[in-house]
Amino acid sequence: MATIHVDGKDYEVDGSENLLQACLSLGLDIPYFCWHPSLGSVGSCRQCAVKQYANADDKRGRLVMSCMTPAVNDTYISIEDDEARAFRETIVEYLMTNHPHDCPVCEEGGHCHLQDMTVMTGHDRRRYRFTKRTHQNQDLGPFIAHEMNRCIACYRCVRYYKDYAGGTDLGVYGNAARVYFGREKDGVLESEFSGNLVEVCPTGVFTDKTHSERYNRKWDMQYAPSICQGCSSGCNISPGERYGELRRIENRFNGSVNQYFLCDKGRFGAGYVNRKDRPRQPQLHIEGRTLTVSVDEALDQAIASLKGQNVLGIGSPRASLESNFALRELVGNDNFSTGMTQQEQQLVELAASLMQTEGIYNPNLREVEDYDAVLILGEDLTQTAPRMALSVRQSAKNKGLEMASDRKTQGWLAEPVARIAQDAKSPVYILSPVATRLSDIAEGEVVASPNDIARLGFAIAAAIKAEAMNGDISDDAKVFALEVARQLKHAKKPLIISGTSLLEPALMEAAAQIALNLGEQAGLTLVVPEVNSMGLALMGGMPLEQAFAQNYDAVVVVENDLYRRLPAQQIKTALAKTQQIIVLDHQETPTVKKASIVLSAASFAEGDGTVVSQEGRAQRYFQVFDPAYYNPEISIKESWRWLHAIHTGIQGKSIDWTVLDDVVEAVARKIPVLEGILDVAPDAGYRVHGLKIAREPRRYSGRTAMRAPISVHEPKQPVDVDSALAFSMEGYVGPQESSSLIPFAWAPGWNSPQSWNKFQDEVGGHLKAGDPGVRLFDRLPKRPARSFVAPAPLLDNDSTYRLVPVHHIFASGEMTVRTPVMQSRIPEAAFSVSRDDAARLNVQQGQRVTVKAGDTSINLPVNVVDYLPYGYVGYPVGLAPVVSLTDSIAISVDAAAVGV
């Protein structure tokens, strides 16, 4: 700690910080542009000037840039000094010389850090009256709009895109006053994290193009605290709604998870909520006709069709804990299925079991950044858990930070640290069937089959303990295993990452064995497929195959498209066993089309629920808006409400789950491993100074106009009985005791995403009330560690081919592919083969082949790639019909059988 003296007052601060960060953490306002908590200091904008004095008696002082000045003990500074204030005003006026001053038409208006800082410095008159330099804008793809004339050359965009996120196709060009931030030519930004430019840029150079078509100001959106549904990482988001549409997804700061950044899948992939073909009222499918019915009629029909019947309930890892639990209560424990295949469920349950093993620590995403050696077994992280990939990229920089520390250079000095580090990186080793987007930071990369990766993983585990390796791996593999083992043992904090994406349990077992052999300093992270896969693993239930093997009279499916789980013929056979098929969903899926009764379920934007991330972090998402407010004909309800109404109707009882708190308490009471969800968020009675939490910013307007087609009289806003949030701007806004209930970030004078500074214990640190979520595995008893055995090698021959899953960030997710803006970013469905296998099959790029796996045949073009295991064909997950990936396959090219 250090004592600094600011304008005559003494403050205790972290002596390792710079003055700008220290002062902002104290709640003192200093304007800045180029500095960012995650990017460090470069001192390029000169906006954060303060007056520094040699000691208490010095009256003259000198101007220094607070972002480049350490907060050492007995530092004397003044923020309010006249010379410092005048200097800052001059700088912002200079930076604004060529700015078009187009706030009324700029999409960043009201959300703009430049506006905030201009007001903060007192610059409110434009004196420049001459010709301004202008730039030509670029088309950067479907996500990001470009307006270079607003640039103030703070360099944040390229520092984030290239240095932090590892992108290569955005740079700075030109010189002097004509620098240009963009691509060499028009084209789609290739980075999977390009959307963060919208929030990183302090002006309106990079804006959210998906918001442009239906644009509104930030203060006219209604928000709620929410959780990204795109993968299992559990990133926190703030969805913004207007006129009953989801207009924009913004990052919601969680210091233990996503911090300031989201992937493009999470930021832009929620457009499925706005689809016009969604079931928004209950439906009856009768003899090929679709009839829209009332809520009461739909419930009566469902109750009548299920009463006295043996009902099979199929849950879903994309549905909330509450909805899955309500289904289990309806059908009984013995008739409840998780909605996962047997293979997927075994994998996720294995991951949950390993996370409860004595001696294994599961770090959160922020902690991943602190590890100084990383081994990735089988996961293409950028495609399956992109936010984790971004954290791994930061961990590779720890070598440079260590080198800088040895030279007494602070880690926040971005440029000196980069010069000291040069190309030095902490070791990252990647073992994967395909070349990954983290190749540029990898010290070693092996492309191999899932079976070979697992056996190599066990060889690394043996090498760590100086034990004999399995004798069926090559000498080259043994040398590689010894080197990886040496680096992991030498590291202060080694991290092992694996997961379920390759459908090979031995990969996670090998990862666990490595972590156990390394000891308590090691971390283990396991990636699971969907937003609530881990929650379903803890809840328990039958896999789909076992469920369909039972006798049943009726089926209830909750938020699950079965045709994405099992081959179509299996689903057809299973559903043919009954005429009573009730489906609850918010999308018109192939499964919905097979239903006799469709109950219109709420998406994450229209309902509340709890999900559990791969880390085991239980978090709650809250309803963003009530769609019935804009259209009274809409009848959308959370799945748990539909199911509980059916359940009580069958029993002839009155509904006793009237609010979310009721079902949360029931889950915690009946499933002890999930008891921690009680502490995820406050109950509906929570208040701050007697007020509920406002979902709408203070300047929210236009309610009457929203409902003008219905009535010119403005009705009372909907009452949210399920949470402490209000559908109104009347309520509390700001930091509070519960960080899980912050819908959006705003503070007086801070309208941009930088306003998260006001909610943090220290800038860039954690939220004042603690980061949202409860780590369930930390509360569960540990299981004894056990040893795992390497799998036997697969005995294939030169004529044998197998499928290996190939994931794509935008194509593999069930909901992402239903988002219209994603269509141009989703690649064409194709099988991948290596050049060697292409020559063996005598197939050319783009030529079509037919792959037969079990009873399913798929005809797709071929994509010839440089890296893929010999004898393996890459199967495009999410883009092709579901097949079994465990057995060998037959391939035919031009009707000629090639492999068996």
Side-chain angles (χ1 to χ4, degrees):
M1 299 297 290
T3 299
I4 63 172
H5 313 274
V6 184
D7 289 314
K9 295 183 180 180
D10 300 341
Y11 299 95
E12 290 290 323
V13 300
D14 184 347
S16 64
E17 297 173 348
N18 58 57
L19 283 174
L20 174 59
Q21 185 170 4
C23 289
L24 291 173
S25 297
L26 293 169
L28 305 175
D29 289 344
I30 300 178
Y32 63 92
F33 290 118
C34 65
W35 181 79
H36 186 282
S38 294
L39 306 180
S41 304
V42 291
S44 67
C45 73
R46 322 305 289 171
Q47 185 62 64
C48 64
V50 297
K51 179 70 74 70
Q52 182 178 15
Y53 302 95
N55 50 52
D57 298 324
D58 183 6
K59 303 301 180 185
R60 183 175 181 181
R62 63 190 180 99
L63 290 176
V64 298
M65 301 307 117
S66 58
C67 75
M68 301 295 289
T69 307
V72 297
N73 195 45
D74 269 347
T75 297
Y76 290 82
I77 63 171
S78 172
I79 300 172
E80 301 301 326
D81 176 79
D82 290 342
E83 185 181 4
R85 290 169 63 92
F87 181 86
R88 295 195 296 264
E89 185 175 350
T90 300
I91 288 296
V92 79
E93 183 178 24
Y94 167 73
L95 293 175
M96 295 287 287
T97 299
N98 288 298
H99 191 282
H101 292 77
D102 59 343
C103 300
V105 298
C106 176
E107 294 191 12
E108 201 73 357
H111 193 71
C112 178
H113 186 62
L114 176 62
Q115 283 181 330
D116 291 345
M117 299 301 99
T118 305
V119 172
M120 189 179 294
T121 56
H123 172 62
D124 58 2
R125 294 292 183 274
R126 179 174 51 178
R127 295 188 294 170
Y128 185 75
R129 293 291 182 265
F130 306 98
T131 302
K132 298 192 175 193
R133 62 107 173 92
T134 57
H135 293 292
Q136 188 169 358
N137 302 319
Q138 292 182 319
D139 182 358
L140 300 178
F143 298 155
I144 305 296
H146 190 225
E147 177 50 80
M148 252 308 294
N149 293 320
R150 299 172 183 148
C151 182
I152 59 170
C154 71
Y155 287 82
R156 263 197 194 181
C157 58
V158 292
R159 291 176 58 221
Y160 160 74
Y161 195 88
K162 297 175 71 173
D163 300 341
Y164 192 93
T168 58
D169 60 321
L170 182 80
V172 54
Y173 305 94
N175 64 354
R178 298 194 63 82
V179 291
Y180 188 93
F181 297 88
R183 303 179 86 250
E184 291 184 358
K185 58 181 180 180
D186 286 16
V188 177
L189 287 171
E190 297 171 1
S191 172
E192 293 83 0
F193 308 98
S194 64
N196 294 307
L197 290 171
V198 174
E199 295 185 14
V200 167
C201 176
T203 74
V205 177
F206 300 99
T207 54
D208 186 342
K209 187 182 284 188
T210 67
H211 187 202
S212 299
E213 294 181 6
R214 302 283 288 167
Y215 179 74
N216 57 272
R217 294 298 189 197
K218 172 183 179 177
W219 60 75
D220 275 336
M221 277 191 283
Q222 182 166 248
Y223 299 89
S226 195
I227 306 300
C228 177
Q229 307 288 300
C231 73
S232 64
S233 295
C235 294
N236 289 205
I237 57 174
S238 288
E241 169 271 343
R242 180 76 166 172
Y243 286 100
E245 296 177 332
L246 205 57
R247 294 286 179 86
R248 183 173 183 170
I249 300 289
E250 297 176 41
N251 182 74
R252 184 164 67 101
F253 186 88
N254 184 321
S256 298
V257 188
N258 46 295
Q259 299 176 73
Y260 289 97
F261 305 120
L262 299 172
C263 74
D264 287 355
K265 181 179 184 178
R267 188 179 292 275
F268 302 114
Y272 60 87
V273 173
N274 299 332
R275 287 182 68 104
K276 302 301 182 185
D277 60 355
R278 286 184 54 187
R280 296 177 187 271
Q281 297 94 17
Q283 300 171 352
L284 302 182
H285 292 170
I286 302 174
E287 297 179 352
R289 295 180 301 138
T290 299
L291 303 179
T292 299
V293 297
S294 68
V295 170
D296 289 341
E297 186 175 354
L299 288 174
D300 289 343
Q301 289 280 354
I303 292 168
S305 64
L306 298 182
K307 201 165 191 175
Q309 302 295 308
N310 182 24
V311 184
L312 173 64
I314 299 176
S316 171
R318 67 171 165 91
S320 68
L321 288 175
E322 292 82 359
S323 293
N324 280 290
F325 176 75
L327 177 63
R328 198 179 82 167
E329 290 290 283
L330 170 65
V331 302
N333 291 2
D334 294 338
N335 289 338
F336 173 72
S337 168
T338 61
M340 295 186 278
T341 65
Q342 182 172 342
Q343 188 177 39
E344 180 182 343
Q345 184 165 331
Q346 288 175 345
L347 288 163
V348 180
E349 287 176 346
L350 173 61
S353 174
L354 293 174
M355 289 299 99
Q356 298 172 68
T357 299
E358 188 72 41
I360 285 182
Y361 178 70
N362 177 25
N364 60 46
L365 285 182
R366 188 186 190 120
E367 291 172 327
V368 167
E369 300 180 5
D370 296 330
Y371 285 82
D372 58 349
V374 179
L375 171 63
I376 303 172
L377 292 177
E379 285 296 315
D380 185 357
L381 285 181
T382 312
Q383 312 306 322
T384 61
R387 187 57 186 81
M388 186 181 294
L390 198 59
S391 292
V392 170
R393 189 171 286 280
Q394 309 321 307
S395 73
K397 300 173 184 176
N398 286 325
K399 179 65 174 177
L401 292 171
E402 181 182 352
M403 295 168 64
S405 178
D406 291 341
R407 291 162 177 79
K408 310 300 182 185
T409 300
Q410 292 92 342
W412 44 264
L413 287 168
E415 291 301 318
V417 170
R419 285 197 299 270
I420 291 169
Q422 295 296 317
D423 295 326
K425 295 182 178 66
S426 296
V428 176
Y429 292 95
I430 304 173
L431 284 62
S432 171
V434 296
T436 74
R437 298 276 283 180
L438 291 176
S439 299
D440 60 308
I441 63 168
E443 185 162 321
E445 189 169 20
V446 172
V447 174
S449 70
N451 178 265
D452 288 340
I453 293 171
R455 291 188 299 115
L456 184 51
F458 277 103
I460 294 169
I464 290 169
K465 286 288 191 179
E467 297 171 347
M469 299 183 199
N470 35 312
D472 50 32
I473 66 172
S474 67
D475 291 341
D476 288 344
K478 290 179 180 179
V479 171
F480 180 81
L482 286 169
E483 174 59 18
V484 175
R486 185 187 68 81
Q487 292 275 26
L488 293 175
K489 289 196 324 185
H490 182 261
K492 296 176 182 176
K493 291 184 66 176
L495 175 66
I496 318 302
I497 300 175
S498 189
T500 64
S501 69
L502 295 184
L503 308 178
E504 175 55 77
L507 287 170
M508 292 189 290
E509 292 174 347
Q513 192 65 65
I514 294 170
L516 288 169
N517 288 1
L518 286 169
E520 61 182 16
Q521 76 274 20
L524 175 66
T525 290
L526 300 176
V527 177
V528 297
E530 298 186 59
V531 63
N532 202 24
S533 293
M534 195 63 82
L536 264 290
L538 293 173
M539 179 177 287
M542 293 182 293
L544 279 174
E545 294 91 334
Q546 182 182 344
F548 287 145
Q550 295 190 162
N551 293 320
Y552 46 87
D553 304 316
V555 177
V556 179
V557 182
V558 175
E559 300 179 42
N560 199 336
D561 184 8
L562 303 178
Y563 290 90
R564 290 182 65 92
R565 305 284 177 182
L566 290 171
Q569 186 57 49
Q570 283 184 249
I571 301 302
K572 181 179 179 181
T573 301
L575 296 183
K577 294 168 68 173
T578 176
Q579 295 298 312
Q580 300 299 329
I581 305 171
I582 300 177
V583 179
L584 297 82
D585 212 333
H586 49 78
Q587 300 295 310
E588 189 176 359
T589 67
T591 304
V592 165
K593 293 178 181 179
K594 296 293 183 181
S596 53
I597 302 175
V598 179
L599 301 179
S600 43
S603 70
F604 77 95
E606 298 139 343
D608 309 303
T610 309
V611 291
V612 182
S613 72
Q614 55 83 21
E615 176 197 342
R617 183 180 293 268
Q619 300 182 100
R620 192 155 299 145
Y621 59 86
F622 292 96
Q623 184 178 7
V624 185
F625 66 102
D626 180 0
Y629 178 77
Y630 304 98
N631 183 354
E633 294 181 0
I634 292 178
S635 301
I636 289 176
K637 301 180 185 301
E638 293 103 325
S639 292
W640 64 263
R641 289 189 190 277
W642 285 115
L643 294 165
H644 184 62
I646 294 171
H647 187 200
T648 54
I650 291 174
Q651 295 177 321
K653 296 166 51 180
S654 60
I655 291 174
D656 50 12
W657 290 352
T658 57
V659 296
L660 179 69
D661 292 337
D662 295 334
V663 61
V664 169
E665 290 172 6
V667 173
R669 185 175 65 254
K670 291 197 174 183
I671 308 177
V673 294
L674 296 175
E675 187 178 1
I677 70 172
L678 290 170
D679 301 325
V680 166
D683 61 26
Y686 175 80
R687 298 291 185 272
V688 180
H689 304 308
L691 300 173
K692 296 190 82 170
I693 311 303
R695 280 182 170 91
E696 300 166 358
R698 292 283 189 244
R699 296 172 62 186
Y700 192 90
S701 63
R703 288 183 190 151
T704 305
M706 290 177 178
R707 288 178 46 93
I710 304 171
S711 171
V712 295
H713 301 287
E714 182 181 342
K716 180 183 177 182
Q717 283 291 98
V719 177
D720 186 358
V721 298
D722 290 314
S723 75
L725 297 159
F727 291 107
S728 173
M729 62 182 168
E730 289 82 25
Y732 180 79
V733 175
Q736 48 171 297
E737 293 180 2
S738 176
S739 55
S740 60
L741 288 178
I742 301 173
F744 56 89
W746 175 89
W750 295 80
N751 299 281
S752 78
Q754 295 300 298
S755 53
W756 282 111
N757 295 349
K758 297 297 185 180
F759 292 77
Q760 297 163 348
D761 53 7
E762 61 177 6
V763 176
H766 300 270
L767 295 177
K768 290 179 178 178
D771 296 319
V774 171
R775 282 171 54 97
L776 297 179
F777 294 135
D778 291 350
R779 300 189 176 197
L780 299 178
K782 292 294 185 179
R783 301 174 179 176
R786 59 190 179 98
S787 297
F788 302 97
V789 180
L794 294 176
L795 301 177
D796 294 332
N797 55 49
D798 286 342
S799 64
T800 301
Y801 286 88
R802 294 180 182 274
L803 292 177
V804 63
V806 175
H807 296 264
H808 188 277
I809 181 175
F810 302 131
S812 301
E814 180 181 351
M815 293 295 105
T816 311
V817 296
R818 302 186 64 83
T819 297
V821 74
M822 287 294 175
Q823 299 310 309
S824 64
R825 297 299 308 273
I826 295 175
E828 179 186 5
F831 290 120
S832 302
V833 296
S834 68
R835 298 195 182 279
D836 289 343
D837 280 324
R840 187 152 63 113
L841 290 168
N842 193 25
V843 64
Q844 306 295 320
Q845 173 74 25
Q847 188 173 353
R848 298 187 76 88
V849 302
T850 299
V851 167
K852 189 172 190 301
D855 296 329
T856 305
S857 295
I858 307 173
N859 184 266
L860 292 175
V862 161
N863 182 29
V864 181
V865 298
D866 291 327
Y867 302 104
L868 206 70
Y870 185 75
Y872 278 79
V873 175
Y875 165 79
V877 176
L879 296 177
V882 176
V883 297
S884 171
L885 301 179
T886 56
D887 302 321
S888 58
I889 59 173
I891 306 176
S892 57
V893 183
D894 294 331
V898 177
V900 179

